[in-house]
Short mmCIF file of all heavy atoms in Angstrom, two decimals:
data_model
loop_
_atom_site.label_atom_id
_atom_site.label_comp_id
_atom_site.label_asym_id
_atom_site.label_seq_id
_atom_site.Cartn_x
_atom_site.Cartn_y
_atom_site.Cartn_z
N MET A 20 -5.78 -8.73 37.10
CA MET A 20 -6.20 -8.14 35.80
C MET A 20 -5.07 -7.27 35.29
O MET A 20 -4.32 -6.54 36.11
CB MET A 20 -7.40 -7.25 35.99
CG MET A 20 -8.73 -8.14 36.24
SD MET A 20 -10.11 -7.02 36.54
CE MET A 20 -10.23 -6.14 34.97
N ASN A 21 -4.82 -7.21 34.03
CA ASN A 21 -3.82 -6.35 33.44
C ASN A 21 -4.28 -4.94 33.23
O ASN A 21 -5.52 -4.81 32.95
CB ASN A 21 -3.31 -6.84 32.10
CG ASN A 21 -2.63 -8.18 32.19
OD1 ASN A 21 -1.99 -8.46 33.20
ND2 ASN A 21 -2.57 -8.95 31.12
N PRO A 22 -3.50 -3.95 33.42
CA PRO A 22 -3.82 -2.54 33.08
C PRO A 22 -4.22 -2.49 31.61
O PRO A 22 -3.85 -3.20 30.79
CB PRO A 22 -2.61 -1.68 33.38
CG PRO A 22 -1.84 -2.55 34.31
CD PRO A 22 -2.09 -3.95 33.92
N LYS A 23 -5.01 -1.45 31.28
CA LYS A 23 -5.50 -1.25 29.94
C LYS A 23 -4.37 -1.06 28.93
O LYS A 23 -4.54 -1.29 27.70
CB LYS A 23 -6.48 -0.21 29.84
CG LYS A 23 -7.92 -0.57 30.37
CD LYS A 23 -8.93 0.50 30.30
CE LYS A 23 -10.17 0.17 31.01
NZ LYS A 23 -11.23 1.19 30.73
N ASN A 24 -3.25 -0.54 29.35
CA ASN A 24 -2.13 -0.12 28.47
C ASN A 24 -1.24 -1.30 28.18
O ASN A 24 -0.29 -1.24 27.40
CB ASN A 24 -1.38 0.99 28.99
CG ASN A 24 -0.65 0.70 30.34
OD1 ASN A 24 -0.99 -0.35 30.89
ND2 ASN A 24 0.26 1.53 30.75
N GLU A 25 -1.62 -2.48 28.73
CA GLU A 25 -0.80 -3.74 28.41
C GLU A 25 -1.58 -4.65 27.65
O GLU A 25 -2.73 -5.01 27.80
CB GLU A 25 -0.34 -4.31 29.77
CG GLU A 25 0.71 -3.58 30.58
CD GLU A 25 1.20 -4.30 31.66
OE1 GLU A 25 0.87 -5.41 31.84
OE2 GLU A 25 1.97 -3.78 32.48
N HIS A 26 -0.89 -5.25 26.56
CA HIS A 26 -1.69 -6.13 25.71
C HIS A 26 -0.79 -7.38 25.51
O HIS A 26 0.42 -7.31 25.64
CB HIS A 26 -1.98 -5.54 24.37
CG HIS A 26 -2.89 -4.31 24.40
ND1 HIS A 26 -4.21 -4.52 24.55
CD2 HIS A 26 -2.64 -3.09 24.36
CE1 HIS A 26 -4.82 -3.37 24.55
NE2 HIS A 26 -3.87 -2.35 24.38
N PRO A 27 -1.33 -8.53 25.27
CA PRO A 27 -0.60 -9.72 24.93
C PRO A 27 0.21 -9.57 23.66
O PRO A 27 -0.15 -8.82 22.82
CB PRO A 27 -1.57 -10.88 24.81
CG PRO A 27 -2.92 -10.14 24.52
CD PRO A 27 -2.79 -8.84 25.21
N ALA A 28 1.31 -10.44 23.53
CA ALA A 28 2.16 -10.23 22.35
C ALA A 28 1.38 -10.49 21.07
O ALA A 28 1.61 -9.85 20.01
CB ALA A 28 3.30 -11.27 22.42
N GLY A 29 0.37 -11.35 21.13
CA GLY A 29 -0.40 -11.69 19.83
C GLY A 29 -1.18 -10.45 19.37
O GLY A 29 -1.34 -10.32 18.21
N TRP A 30 -1.60 -9.63 20.48
CA TRP A 30 -2.24 -8.39 20.00
C TRP A 30 -1.36 -7.42 19.23
O TRP A 30 -1.76 -6.95 18.19
CB TRP A 30 -2.68 -7.74 21.36
CG TRP A 30 -3.71 -6.51 21.03
CD1 TRP A 30 -5.07 -6.55 21.04
CD2 TRP A 30 -3.33 -5.15 20.96
NE1 TRP A 30 -5.53 -5.36 20.83
CE2 TRP A 30 -4.46 -4.43 20.76
CE3 TRP A 30 -2.11 -4.46 21.00
CZ2 TRP A 30 -4.53 -3.02 20.62
CZ3 TRP A 30 -2.13 -3.03 20.77
CH2 TRP A 30 -3.31 -2.39 20.51
N TYR A 31 -0.16 -7.21 19.66
CA TYR A 31 0.84 -6.43 18.90
C TYR A 31 1.16 -7.05 17.53
O TYR A 31 1.22 -6.41 16.52
CB TYR A 31 2.06 -6.31 19.68
CG TYR A 31 1.89 -5.38 20.91
CD1 TYR A 31 1.94 -5.96 22.23
CD2 TYR A 31 1.66 -3.98 20.77
CE1 TYR A 31 1.72 -5.06 23.30
CE2 TYR A 31 1.52 -3.23 21.80
CZ TYR A 31 1.55 -3.75 23.13
OH TYR A 31 1.40 -2.96 24.27
N LEU A 32 1.32 -8.37 17.50
CA LEU A 32 1.64 -9.11 16.20
C LEU A 32 0.36 -8.96 15.27
O LEU A 32 0.66 -8.61 14.07
CB LEU A 32 1.89 -10.51 16.57
CG LEU A 32 2.15 -11.41 15.33
CD1 LEU A 32 3.51 -10.97 14.73
CD2 LEU A 32 2.29 -12.81 15.76
N PHE A 33 -0.75 -9.15 15.75
CA PHE A 33 -1.97 -8.99 14.93
C PHE A 33 -2.08 -7.67 14.27
O PHE A 33 -2.24 -7.39 13.05
CB PHE A 33 -3.21 -9.23 15.82
CG PHE A 33 -4.44 -9.13 15.09
CD1 PHE A 33 -4.85 -10.11 14.18
CD2 PHE A 33 -5.24 -8.03 15.30
CE1 PHE A 33 -6.15 -9.88 13.48
CE2 PHE A 33 -6.49 -7.89 14.67
CZ PHE A 33 -6.94 -8.85 13.73
N TRP A 34 -1.99 -6.55 15.13
CA TRP A 34 -2.10 -5.21 14.55
C TRP A 34 -0.93 -4.84 13.72
O TRP A 34 -1.01 -4.10 12.79
CB TRP A 34 -2.32 -4.25 15.67
CG TRP A 34 -3.76 -4.23 16.12
CD1 TRP A 34 -4.17 -4.80 17.34
CD2 TRP A 34 -4.93 -3.74 15.48
NE1 TRP A 34 -5.50 -4.68 17.34
CE2 TRP A 34 -6.02 -4.04 16.24
CE3 TRP A 34 -5.09 -3.15 14.25
CZ2 TRP A 34 -7.29 -3.75 15.90
CZ3 TRP A 34 -6.38 -2.85 13.86
CH2 TRP A 34 -7.52 -3.14 14.70
N GLY A 35 0.25 -5.34 14.12
CA GLY A 35 1.50 -5.07 13.28
C GLY A 35 1.39 -5.68 11.94
O GLY A 35 1.79 -5.02 10.91
N LEU A 36 0.79 -6.86 11.80
CA LEU A 36 0.62 -7.47 10.51
C LEU A 36 -0.36 -6.68 9.66
O LEU A 36 -0.17 -6.53 8.50
CB LEU A 36 0.19 -8.94 10.62
CG LEU A 36 1.25 -9.91 11.03
CD1 LEU A 36 0.56 -11.25 11.35
CD2 LEU A 36 2.36 -10.03 10.11
N ILE A 37 -1.45 -6.18 10.24
CA ILE A 37 -2.51 -5.48 9.60
C ILE A 37 -1.92 -4.19 9.09
O ILE A 37 -2.18 -3.81 7.86
CB ILE A 37 -3.67 -5.17 10.55
CG1 ILE A 37 -4.51 -6.55 10.77
CG2 ILE A 37 -4.65 -4.12 9.87
CD1 ILE A 37 -5.67 -6.32 11.70
N ILE A 38 -1.18 -3.50 9.95
CA ILE A 38 -0.61 -2.14 9.56
C ILE A 38 0.48 -2.42 8.46
O ILE A 38 0.47 -1.70 7.43
CB ILE A 38 0.00 -1.48 10.78
CG1 ILE A 38 -1.12 -1.08 11.78
CG2 ILE A 38 0.70 -0.22 10.36
CD1 ILE A 38 -0.63 -0.59 13.04
N ALA A 39 1.29 -3.40 8.57
CA ALA A 39 2.33 -3.63 7.57
C ALA A 39 1.61 -4.03 6.27
O ALA A 39 2.01 -3.57 5.26
CB ALA A 39 3.22 -4.80 8.10
N GLY A 40 0.61 -4.91 6.33
CA GLY A 40 -0.07 -5.34 5.18
C GLY A 40 -0.72 -4.14 4.44
O GLY A 40 -0.68 -4.05 3.26
N ALA A 41 -1.32 -3.21 5.21
CA ALA A 41 -1.93 -1.96 4.58
C ALA A 41 -0.91 -1.17 3.92
O ALA A 41 -1.19 -0.61 2.80
CB ALA A 41 -2.71 -1.25 5.70
N ILE A 42 0.23 -0.97 4.57
CA ILE A 42 1.40 -0.16 3.98
C ILE A 42 1.84 -0.82 2.73
O ILE A 42 2.06 -0.08 1.67
CB ILE A 42 2.48 0.14 4.96
CG1 ILE A 42 2.00 0.91 6.14
CG2 ILE A 42 3.63 0.72 4.32
CD1 ILE A 42 2.89 0.97 7.32
N VAL A 43 2.14 -2.05 2.70
CA VAL A 43 2.63 -2.73 1.60
C VAL A 43 1.58 -2.78 0.48
O VAL A 43 1.89 -2.50 -0.74
CB VAL A 43 3.00 -4.11 1.95
CG1 VAL A 43 3.33 -5.01 0.69
CG2 VAL A 43 4.24 -4.18 2.76
N GLY A 44 0.29 -3.05 0.81
CA GLY A 44 -0.71 -3.07 -0.20
C GLY A 44 -0.90 -1.75 -0.81
O GLY A 44 -1.03 -1.55 -1.99
N ALA A 45 -0.90 -0.60 -0.04
CA ALA A 45 -1.06 0.71 -0.55
C ALA A 45 0.17 1.07 -1.51
O ALA A 45 -0.04 1.63 -2.52
CB ALA A 45 -1.17 1.68 0.52
N SER A 46 1.39 0.75 -1.07
CA SER A 46 2.58 1.09 -1.85
C SER A 46 2.52 0.26 -3.13
O SER A 46 2.86 0.81 -4.23
CB SER A 46 3.85 0.63 -1.05
OG SER A 46 3.90 1.37 0.10
N ALA A 47 2.05 -1.03 -3.11
CA ALA A 47 2.00 -1.83 -4.32
C ALA A 47 0.95 -1.24 -5.30
O ALA A 47 1.17 -1.16 -6.50
CB ALA A 47 1.65 -3.23 -3.99
N LEU A 48 -0.21 -0.79 -4.76
CA LEU A 48 -1.20 -0.29 -5.54
C LEU A 48 -0.72 1.08 -6.24
O LEU A 48 -0.99 1.22 -7.38
CB LEU A 48 -2.49 0.00 -4.70
CG LEU A 48 -3.70 0.58 -5.44
CD1 LEU A 48 -4.21 -0.43 -6.49
CD2 LEU A 48 -4.75 0.84 -4.46
N ILE A 49 -0.21 1.93 -5.46
CA ILE A 49 0.30 3.26 -6.00
C ILE A 49 1.38 2.96 -6.99
O ILE A 49 1.41 3.58 -8.10
CB ILE A 49 0.93 4.08 -4.80
CG1 ILE A 49 -0.25 4.57 -3.94
CG2 ILE A 49 1.60 5.31 -5.42
CD1 ILE A 49 0.19 5.25 -2.71
N GLY A 50 2.32 2.04 -6.75
CA GLY A 50 3.35 1.69 -7.72
C GLY A 50 2.81 1.08 -9.01
O GLY A 50 3.18 1.48 -10.17
N PHE A 51 1.77 0.28 -8.90
CA PHE A 51 1.11 -0.33 -10.03
C PHE A 51 0.51 0.76 -10.87
O PHE A 51 0.55 0.81 -12.14
CB PHE A 51 0.13 -1.41 -9.57
CG PHE A 51 -0.60 -2.04 -10.71
CD1 PHE A 51 0.07 -3.02 -11.48
CD2 PHE A 51 -1.92 -1.73 -10.95
CE1 PHE A 51 -0.64 -3.61 -12.53
CE2 PHE A 51 -2.61 -2.40 -12.00
CZ PHE A 51 -2.00 -3.26 -12.79
N LEU A 52 -0.26 1.66 -10.20
CA LEU A 52 -1.01 2.72 -10.93
C LEU A 52 0.01 3.73 -11.67
O LEU A 52 -0.24 4.09 -12.72
CB LEU A 52 -1.94 3.46 -9.89
CG LEU A 52 -3.14 2.72 -9.44
CD1 LEU A 52 -3.79 3.48 -8.38
CD2 LEU A 52 -4.05 2.24 -10.53
N TRP A 53 1.09 4.00 -10.87
CA TRP A 53 2.04 4.90 -11.42
C TRP A 53 2.72 4.30 -12.63
O TRP A 53 2.88 4.93 -13.73
CB TRP A 53 3.07 5.16 -10.28
CG TRP A 53 4.23 6.06 -10.78
CD1 TRP A 53 4.07 7.45 -10.89
CD2 TRP A 53 5.57 5.72 -11.02
NE1 TRP A 53 5.35 7.97 -11.23
CE2 TRP A 53 6.24 7.05 -11.34
CE3 TRP A 53 6.27 4.59 -11.00
CZ2 TRP A 53 7.63 6.97 -11.63
CZ3 TRP A 53 7.60 4.67 -11.28
CH2 TRP A 53 8.21 5.75 -11.63
N LEU A 54 3.10 3.01 -12.52
CA LEU A 54 3.65 2.35 -13.65
C LEU A 54 2.73 2.28 -14.89
O LEU A 54 3.15 2.48 -15.99
CB LEU A 54 4.19 0.95 -13.21
CG LEU A 54 4.86 0.09 -14.27
CD1 LEU A 54 6.23 0.79 -14.67
CD2 LEU A 54 5.21 -1.32 -13.76
N GLY A 55 1.55 1.93 -14.53
CA GLY A 55 0.46 1.80 -15.55
C GLY A 55 0.27 3.15 -16.29
O GLY A 55 0.07 3.14 -17.57
N HIS A 56 0.42 4.22 -15.51
CA HIS A 56 0.14 5.53 -16.07
C HIS A 56 1.33 5.92 -17.05
O HIS A 56 1.02 6.36 -18.11
CB HIS A 56 0.14 6.53 -14.95
CG HIS A 56 0.07 7.99 -15.42
ND1 HIS A 56 -1.01 8.52 -16.03
CD2 HIS A 56 0.99 8.97 -15.37
CE1 HIS A 56 -0.77 9.89 -16.28
NE2 HIS A 56 0.42 10.08 -15.99
N ILE A 57 2.53 5.54 -16.62
CA ILE A 57 3.68 5.80 -17.52
C ILE A 57 3.58 5.03 -18.89
O ILE A 57 3.75 5.53 -19.92
CB ILE A 57 5.00 5.45 -16.84
CG1 ILE A 57 5.29 6.44 -15.65
CG2 ILE A 57 6.23 5.44 -17.78
CD1 ILE A 57 6.44 6.08 -14.77
N ILE A 58 3.18 3.72 -18.68
CA ILE A 58 2.99 2.84 -19.88
C ILE A 58 1.91 3.40 -20.81
O ILE A 58 2.01 3.53 -22.00
CB ILE A 58 2.68 1.43 -19.39
CG1 ILE A 58 3.92 0.86 -18.78
CG2 ILE A 58 2.24 0.61 -20.67
CD1 ILE A 58 3.57 -0.54 -18.19
N ASP A 59 0.90 3.84 -20.16
CA ASP A 59 -0.33 4.41 -20.90
C ASP A 59 0.02 5.76 -21.65
O ASP A 59 -0.15 5.92 -22.82
CB ASP A 59 -1.45 4.75 -20.05
CG ASP A 59 -2.23 3.53 -19.66
OD1 ASP A 59 -2.07 2.45 -20.18
OD2 ASP A 59 -2.91 3.55 -18.56
N VAL A 60 0.93 6.59 -21.03
CA VAL A 60 1.32 7.81 -21.64
C VAL A 60 2.35 7.48 -22.72
O VAL A 60 2.15 8.02 -23.90
CB VAL A 60 2.01 8.77 -20.62
CG1 VAL A 60 2.68 9.85 -21.29
CG2 VAL A 60 1.04 9.20 -19.56
N LYS A 61 3.16 6.46 -22.64
CA LYS A 61 4.15 6.20 -23.73
C LYS A 61 3.43 5.61 -24.84
O LYS A 61 3.69 5.87 -26.00
CB LYS A 61 5.23 5.25 -23.13
CG LYS A 61 6.23 5.84 -22.26
CD LYS A 61 7.30 4.90 -21.89
CE LYS A 61 8.38 5.56 -21.03
NZ LYS A 61 9.42 4.56 -20.66
N ALA A 62 2.46 4.64 -24.57
CA ALA A 62 1.68 4.11 -25.62
C ALA A 62 0.88 5.09 -26.41
O ALA A 62 0.80 5.11 -27.63
CB ALA A 62 0.68 3.04 -25.07
N PHE A 63 0.30 6.06 -25.66
CA PHE A 63 -0.48 7.09 -26.30
C PHE A 63 0.43 8.01 -27.11
O PHE A 63 -0.02 8.28 -28.35
CB PHE A 63 -1.20 7.97 -25.25
CG PHE A 63 -1.98 9.04 -25.83
CD1 PHE A 63 -3.25 8.83 -26.32
CD2 PHE A 63 -1.56 10.39 -25.76
CE1 PHE A 63 -3.98 9.82 -26.85
CE2 PHE A 63 -2.29 11.44 -26.17
CZ PHE A 63 -3.56 11.17 -26.77
N ASN A 64 1.53 8.32 -26.63
CA ASN A 64 2.48 9.20 -27.43
C ASN A 64 3.03 8.47 -28.71
O ASN A 64 3.17 9.05 -29.69
CB ASN A 64 3.67 9.56 -26.56
CG ASN A 64 3.29 10.62 -25.50
OD1 ASN A 64 2.23 11.28 -25.67
ND2 ASN A 64 4.08 10.74 -24.52
N THR A 65 3.24 7.21 -28.50
CA THR A 65 3.65 6.36 -29.67
C THR A 65 2.57 6.38 -30.82
O THR A 65 2.80 6.54 -31.98
CB THR A 65 3.98 4.97 -29.27
OG1 THR A 65 4.97 4.98 -28.20
CG2 THR A 65 4.47 4.07 -30.41
N ILE A 66 1.35 6.11 -30.37
CA ILE A 66 0.31 6.12 -31.33
C ILE A 66 0.07 7.51 -31.97
O ILE A 66 -0.24 7.65 -33.15
CB ILE A 66 -1.08 5.63 -30.68
CG1 ILE A 66 -0.93 4.15 -30.21
CG2 ILE A 66 -2.25 5.76 -31.53
CD1 ILE A 66 -1.97 3.65 -29.37
N LEU A 67 0.07 8.51 -31.11
CA LEU A 67 -0.21 9.87 -31.55
C LEU A 67 0.82 10.33 -32.49
O LEU A 67 0.49 11.02 -33.51
CB LEU A 67 -0.28 10.78 -30.27
CG LEU A 67 -0.76 12.20 -30.54
CD1 LEU A 67 -2.15 12.24 -30.95
CD2 LEU A 67 -0.63 13.00 -29.30
N TYR A 68 2.15 10.11 -32.17
CA TYR A 68 3.20 10.71 -33.00
C TYR A 68 3.76 9.74 -34.12
O TYR A 68 4.68 10.10 -34.74
CB TYR A 68 4.36 11.20 -32.10
CG TYR A 68 3.85 12.32 -31.17
CD1 TYR A 68 3.84 12.13 -29.84
CD2 TYR A 68 3.50 13.55 -31.71
CE1 TYR A 68 3.42 13.16 -28.96
CE2 TYR A 68 3.02 14.58 -30.89
CZ TYR A 68 3.05 14.38 -29.52
OH TYR A 68 2.60 15.44 -28.69
N SER A 69 3.17 8.49 -34.21
CA SER A 69 3.76 7.56 -35.13
C SER A 69 3.30 7.95 -36.57
O SER A 69 2.21 8.55 -36.72
CB SER A 69 3.33 6.17 -34.81
OG SER A 69 1.90 6.04 -34.79
#
C-alpha cells in the first residue's frame, strides 16, 4: 500500500488541469467583464455627451 501522501501521476494531472482551468476561466471572465465595463462606459459617455 502507498502512504497517503503519495498519489499516482494521473491524480496530479487531474487536479492540475482543474486548477489551471479554474484560473484561466476566472481570468477570462474578469477580463471579459472589465473590457465590457470599459466599452459600456465609453458608449454611455458618447451617448451622454454627443
Side-chain angles (χ1 to χ4, degrees):
M20 292 178 61
N21 292 334
K23 289 184 179 181
N24 63 348
E25 290 186 6
H26 296 283
W30 188 89
Y31 290 109
L32 180 62
F33 177 73
W34 284 106
L36 287 173
I37 289 179
I38 294 170
I42 293 171
V43 171
S46 298
L48 181 61
I49 292 170
F51 179 75
L52 292 175
W53 180 73
L54 183 62
H56 175 70
I57 291 175
I58 293 172
D59 288 343
V60 170
K61 286 183 178 180
F63 180 75
N64 287 341
T65 300
I66 293 169
L67 188 65
Y68 297 115
S69 61

